[in-house]
Amino acid sequence: MARRGAPARGKDKAAGKGKAAGGNKPAGMGGAESAKGRRGGGRGAREPVSQQVGGGLAELIPDRERPGAWTLLIDGAPQSHVDLDDPAHLSFAYQRRFGHVIDLAAPPLQPLHVLHLGGGAFTLARYTAATRPRSTQQIVELDAPLVQLVRDHLPLDPQARVRVRATDAREGLGRFPDGWADLIIADVFSGARTPAHLTSAEFLAEVRRVLKPEGRYAANLADGPPLAHLRGQVATAAAVFPELALAADPVVWRGRRFGNAVLLASALPLPVAEFTRRVASDPHPGRVEHGRALTDFTGGAAVVTDAAAKPSPTPPPSVFENP
């Protein structure tokens, strides 16, 4: 399980990415960040950091294979992986799938307006800043102590156009004007579960309101056998967005293991063929379903409303163990 599993090793998300125009150092690693980052997380201070935050005990663990990289854990569950030297490196499989979504959202290097619901260690905001300089990004993260911990030890490039708001994801979403975002990414977990109020059709209606007409929504969904939550989330998204695609590991599709799935939704046709190719060629290959096959997958599941919404299922303890 990517969000709560061990980082993948070896292959980077995209060789050569993370360089700013003109062949400079990777975006996000200017002089100010390099100096500040070493206080709690640079090459000169590679000891773990732990601190109590709103969601539990947060730990920043140095990646012994990548000198500038760190893994964020909350109560022992890996939440994010960040490489300060190469922010275009995405270690978790589900984050690489989000990386594909970001890559395919517009022509290369074109800046985007991106709203991140859920911050973690700001991995995807860093990736966007590295691969799409001059993008305007907003992160909405409820856990203010976690935000401060990340700012202190894994600081963002001060030149990056990233603003962080410490508030509830749905409340923060409601403050955005109509048609602001090219891309909204939802990766929100509380106690390893997606909160109920972020699973409903009413929530997705707000997402669509904030998106530009051609904008896209991507969400990290977690479920296991019999995949009832995942089926319901697809059915709910289909009630709001006419175009959907869902990427997951084959063992998750077959209902054999608890894991992550990345849902992609839009009012306009999606780049399904290229998204499928990229997901299939990942170091941990996944499968993408869309169209009739995805409709059949829902099995007639009911649309989730605010009145009936429930958090995503609690993952079994085994998903937190390294393979």
Side-chain angles (χ1 to χ4, degrees):
M1 184 176 177
R3 183 177 177 86
R4 288 167 289 277
R9 299 296 183 192
K11 186 175 180 180
D12 281 6
K13 164 69 179 63
K17 285 193 175 182
K19 300 288 183 181
N24 295 326
K25 296 169 74 173
M29 278 304 296
E33 173 157 356
S34 297
K36 189 176 180 184
R38 277 146 181 72
R39 292 186 320 176
R43 299 177 192 276
R46 295 286 289 170
E47 295 302 318
V49 176
S50 63
Q51 179 178 309
Q52 199 71 29
V53 298
L57 179 64
E59 298 173 274
L60 294 174
I61 306 299
D63 184 334
R64 301 303 181 188
E65 296 183 16
R66 301 183 67 87
W70 295 78
T71 298
L72 167 67
L73 296 89
I74 304 291
D75 286 341
Q79 300 291 310
S80 301
H81 181 275
V82 168
D83 191 331
L84 297 179
D85 293 341
D86 181 10
H89 173 81
L90 298 176
S91 190
F92 294 167
Y94 94 92
Q95 289 183 331
R96 289 195 295 275
R97 289 165 191 163
F98 276 137
H100 302 325
V101 171
I102 295 166
D103 292 345
L104 297 173
L109 298 180
Q110 179 175 312
L112 297 174
H113 280 65
V114 185
L115 171 57
H116 303 266
L117 301 178
F122 313 157
T123 303
L124 296 172
R126 299 173 200 269
Y127 179 88
T128 304
T131 60
R132 296 184 177 276
R134 303 180 307 282
S135 290
T136 299
Q137 301 186 77
Q138 300 241 7
I139 298 171
V140 178
E141 169 59 58
L142 178 62
D143 195 332
L146 175 61
V147 169
Q148 192 59 52
L149 176 70
V150 173
R151 284 188 181 279
D152 287 344
H153 297 282
L154 306 175
L156 288 162
D157 178 358
Q159 301 304 314
R161 300 172 64 178
V162 180
R163 179 182 177 185
V164 185
R165 300 183 180 188
T167 189
D168 172 76
R170 187 159 168 179
E171 180 182 343
L173 176 67
R175 297 176 183 173
F176 280 81
D178 296 359
W180 183 86
D182 295 294
L183 179 62
I184 296 177
I185 297 174
D187 188 15
V188 184
F189 286 80
S190 176
R193 305 175 74 184
T194 301
H197 67 298
L198 305 182
T199 68
S200 68
E202 291 91 338
F203 164 70
L204 290 180
E206 273 292 279
V207 167
R208 183 161 180 177
R209 178 189 65 78
V210 176
L211 284 172
K212 296 177 181 179
E214 70 280 11
R216 295 170 186 168
Y217 171 66
N220 180 19
L221 307 175
D223 198 11
L227 300 180
H229 173 73
L230 190 56
R231 297 179 203 277
Q233 288 301 285
V234 174
T236 303
V240 179
F241 293 98
E243 301 291 334
L244 301 177
L246 187 69
D249 291 348
V251 291
V252 174
W253 277 115
R254 293 194 293 267
R256 295 177 56 186
R257 180 172 62 80
F258 198 102
N260 296 83
V262 169
L263 175 69
L264 181 59
S266 180
L268 298 180
L270 297 166
V272 173
E274 181 61 17
F275 185 52
T276 300
R277 185 191 69 78
R278 295 186 183 209
V279 170
S281 62
D282 190 81
H284 291 86
R287 194 176 92 219
V288 175
E289 294 288 3
H290 69 287
R292 180 58 182 272
L294 191 54
T295 300
D296 291 345
F297 167 76
T298 65
V303 173
V304 177
T305 64
D306 277 343
K310 299 178 180 179
S312 63
T314 302
S318 61
V319 305
F320 302 121
E321 298 171 0
N322 291 343

